[in-house]
DNA sequence: TTTTTTTAAGACAAAAAATTCCGATATTAG
DNA sequence: CTAATATCGGAATTTTTTGTCTTAAAAAAA
């Protein structure tokens, strides 16, 4: 079985999306976030830590501490979260795992896949948390 | 890090593609195939076994035994190989890992992703080994 | 028939990814 | 200051995926 993004990355996206629908500046604990997205707390906590390192969210220790967005939702693109966790490997490695796959020495899928890869990258690079606000809110409320 | 297809699936695609450029009916040993695609022999062997189960390739035991395509290259679609190894999970699970993601209760990426998912599926369902013959040959020869 | 070569099958081992645990440190309330 | 609550950082554990080994069975050649 196979996945586009790692589990870590999925939970990162879910966590940050959740933070993005809370009133601006809200500090939410890892415990609350993990409950909301129904994922193991310690694991979510670890993921959130790596997101603070790249300045997508910020953290506050101690009582009433937790995590909050480090910038405005319209400044955070989906691709930022993805590359922070999974790297940009997804978008520049060969789909079929062939060595040395490039425009000059393409694998059998290369050309046909290039278009899809480009479109995905485009989609993830243009959409910000702000763009997804309404639909995120609706989804989170239904979980 | 993350990948679209599992390693198994990548090697399955490479192996079958390799078989498809050999003269019709050629029987190639797991040993030769693994050397060609530079992958561990026993592992490739395992993968080839599962492909024989779904009738994409056929096997022959004993001296001069090995594997060969079970049908004409234009009868074998890429998607057949992928679902045989990775299942159809890739194309009907939520990109963000949200539970119960559907058209009625979509995740934030759902709609935008649907188009890409559909196009990928389309591409993998319409292309057969025969369609990729020339480019496969060129690639394999350069490995 | 015996030997050699190759797949089949399943147990086993190693590596990677996911998940948990724990001790340290920071922050705030009382 | 002390107690309570959080994050932080790193080690430890579990699970999944990848890869190996070993033995059996089939096929062809000697």
């Amino acid at each position: 079985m196979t996945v586009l993004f790692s589990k870590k990355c999925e939970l990162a996206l879910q966590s940050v999306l959740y933070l993005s629908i809370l009133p601006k500046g809200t500090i939410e604990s890892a415990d609350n976030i993990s409950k909301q997205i129904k994922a193991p707390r310690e694991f979510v906590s670890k993921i959130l830590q790596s997101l603070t390192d790249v300045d997508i969210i910020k953290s506050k220790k101690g009582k009433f501490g937790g995590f909050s967005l480090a910038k405005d939702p319209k400044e955070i693109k989906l691709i930022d979260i993805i590359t922070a966790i999974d790297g940009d490997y997804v978008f520049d490695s060969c789909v079929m795992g062939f060595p040395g796959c490039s425009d000059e020495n393409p694998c059998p899928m290369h050309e046909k896949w290039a278009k899809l890869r480009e479109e995905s990258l485009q989609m993830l690079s243009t959409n910000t948390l702000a763009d997804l606000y309404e639909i995120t809110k609706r989804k989170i409320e239904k979980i």
Side-chain angles (χ1 to χ4, degrees), chain A:
Chain A
M1 185 195 298
T2 254
V3 169
L4 185 61
F5 304 125
S6 67
K7 192 94 197 185
K8 270 185 191 168
C9 191
E10 289 180 0
L11 297 180
L13 286 165
Q14 293 184 25
S15 300
V16 178
L17 247 353
Y18 172 53
L19 287 177
S20 82
I21 61 164
L22 300 176
K24 188 175 175 173
T26 306
I27 294 177
E28 194 79 345
S29 71
D31 194 52
N32 276 349
I33 297 172
S34 68
K35 271 178 186 131
Q36 179 60 43
I37 67 175
K38 299 198 195 324
R41 174 177 145 213
E42 300 291 346
F43 193 38
V44 169
S45 185
K46 270 280 142 62
I47 296 166
L48 293 173
Q49 276 177 49
S50 27
L51 290 177
T52 61
D53 295 342
V54 294
D55 210 44
I56 289 174
I57 58 181
K58 58 187 172 189
S59 67
K60 196 182 167 196
K61 287 186 179 177
K63 212 166 189 176
F64 300 108
F67 299 88
S68 58
L69 292 187
K71 35 194 173 183
D72 197 277
K74 66 172 173 292
E75 305 296 325
I76 302 174
K77 301 175 204 143
L78 293 177
I79 195 75
D80 298 336
I81 301 166
I82 292 162
T83 52
I85 302 291
D86 281 346
D88 37 17
Y89 179 88
V90 202
F91 299 101
D92 51 39
S93 62
C94 175
V95 225
M96 312 189 78
F98 271 108
C101 179
S102 66
D103 290 348
E104 292 72 41
N105 186 19
C107 80
M109 278 200 211
H110 190 77
E111 201 184 341
K112 279 153 182 152
W113 203 255
K115 196 177 129 259
L116 296 166
R117 194 198 292 112
E118 185 47 43
E119 280 178 45
S120 313
L121 196 52
Q122 185 68 19
M123 187 294 240
L124 298 170
S125 305
T126 53
N127 280 282
T128 68
L129 300 185
D131 297 321
L132 303 171
Y133 181 82
E134 285 301 339
I135 193 159
T136 299
K137 208 168 169 207
R138 214 178 313 140
K139 181 71 186 176
I140 299 271
E141 278 164 3
K142 278 194 188 164
I143 286 180

